[in-house]
Amino acid sequence: SQQGEEDPQALSIQEGENATMNCSYKTSINNLQWYRQNSGRGLVHLILIRSNEREKHSGRLRVTLDTSKKSSSLLITASRAADTASYFCASEHSGGGADGLTFGKGTHLIIQP
Amino acid sequence: EPEVTQTPSHQVTQMGQEVILRCVPISNHLYFYWYRQILGQKVEFLVSFYNNEISEKSEIFDDQFSVERPDGSNFTLKIRSTKLEDSAMYFCASDRYNEQFFGPGTRLTVL
């Protein structure tokens, strides 16, 4: 699979349920970031997890990172209709300099009211 | 809260014309980036910029593209002779401590 592949590609759940999205990557990373994108709009930064961290929380978001499996997950708890969006993971390769992020194809999340 | 801004929000141009996309990064950020997203596809890295020079660029960033920081606030992406396949959303981003914050994007349509 390509760097920063998310699964599932699409997820539809009921409001109030938890949503889990997964991401895999191939090369060593400095950090991994999750973004949200509403249709046709910009990318909103949600959370960054560094390679030496295993779990991070921000409000209703919980991100985990498993560097041995080169994977990350994003959990949104108690989902709301406003969470409907596409979610992308983006990894920054190890190494110096201003490295661009490598994005996955994203998970399209639909929260049914 | 400070944010990255981009102008214009939508640019329509004829094939072969030059376009300049403008960005104002967050003021105390040191690293600047351009990405593009063709409709329905992944966000792709184009170029990064630090200390007034290109730090890294992707295969997409060929001789048709150039970037400039003409003053202390603006960061521009120029496409010299646009092609149909340049139609995409172009996002600017800036970061200071590895968190990259994106602007709202410029939708470029090449006719």
Side-chain angles (χ1 to χ4, degrees):
Chain A
S1 62
Q2 296 179 29
Q3 185 95 348
E5 285 282 329
E6 291 93 340
D7 73 86
Q9 290 187 340
L11 179 63
S12 180
I13 60 174
Q14 293 296 123
E15 195 168 18
E17 293 181 338
N18 296 340
T20 300
M21 290 159 272
N22 303 297
C23 166
S24 62
Y25 58 91
K26 292 183 79 175
T27 63
S28 296
I29 60 171
N30 288 329
N31 63 68
L32 189 140
Q33 307 183 43
W34 284 90
Y35 290 85
R36 185 184 75 223
Q37 184 180 38
N38 290 86
S39 181
R41 306 288 292 276
L43 294 155
V44 175
H45 187 272
L46 296 176
I47 197 164
L48 176 151
I49 186 164
R50 301 189 190 281
S51 60
N52 61 351
E53 297 176 308
R54 293 295 167 259
E55 188 170 310
K56 205 158 178 184
H57 297 255
S58 176
R60 293 184 295 114
L61 305 180
R62 173 177 166 252
V63 167
T64 63
L65 181 65
D66 186 336
T67 52
S68 67
K69 295 180 180 176
K70 292 187 167 59
S71 67
S72 174
S73 68
L74 171 68
L75 168 69
I76 303 174
T77 60
S79 62
R80 304 168 183 166
D83 294 329
T84 294
S86 291
Y87 291 82
F88 297 89
C89 72
S91 53
E92 181 185 304
H93 303 293
S94 297
D99 295 314
L101 298 175
T102 301
F103 279 79
K105 291 180 182 176
T107 293
H108 184 51
L109 176 66
I110 298 172
I111 308 299
Q112 308 276 6
Chain B
E1 190 169 332
E3 55 186 24
V4 177
T5 59
Q6 290 184 244
T7 54
S9 57
H10 193 182
Q11 172 97 41
V12 181
T13 189
Q14 295 290 327
M15 192 169 57
Q17 295 296 305
E18 174 184 287
V19 294
I20 297 176
L21 309 182
R22 291 183 166 79
C23 168
V24 179
I26 295 173
S27 62
N28 62 350
H29 284 192
L30 303 175
Y31 299 90
F32 313 113
Y33 308 82
W34 283 101
Y35 292 80
R36 78 171 186 193
Q37 185 180 32
I38 294 171
L39 187 63
Q41 297 189 23
K42 291 185 185 185
V43 175
E44 301 172 290
F45 167 71
L46 294 178
V47 65
S48 60
F49 195 84
Y50 171 71
N51 202 25
N52 284 320
E53 60 183 24
I54 290 175
S55 179
E56 186 185 343
K57 59 184 180 179
S58 71
E59 293 175 352
I60 302 167
F61 194 87
D62 61 22
D63 292 343
Q64 292 296 318
F65 292 90
S66 62
V67 289
E68 197 175 40
R69 189 158 162 81
D71 53 43
S73 59
N74 291 285
F75 179 50
T76 63
L77 174 70
K78 182 193 288 186
I79 309 175
R80 264 180 268 282
S81 178
T82 50
K83 306 176 194 133
L84 294 175
E85 54 264 37
D86 293 328
S87 293
M89 280 287 282
Y90 287 81
F91 293 106
C92 172
S94 67
D95 89 48
R96 186 178 173 92
Y97 299 119
N98 299 122
E99 290 186 328
Q100 291 191 25
F101 291 90
F102 284 71
T106 292
R107 181 171 297 282
L108 177 65
T109 302
V110 182
L111 302 176

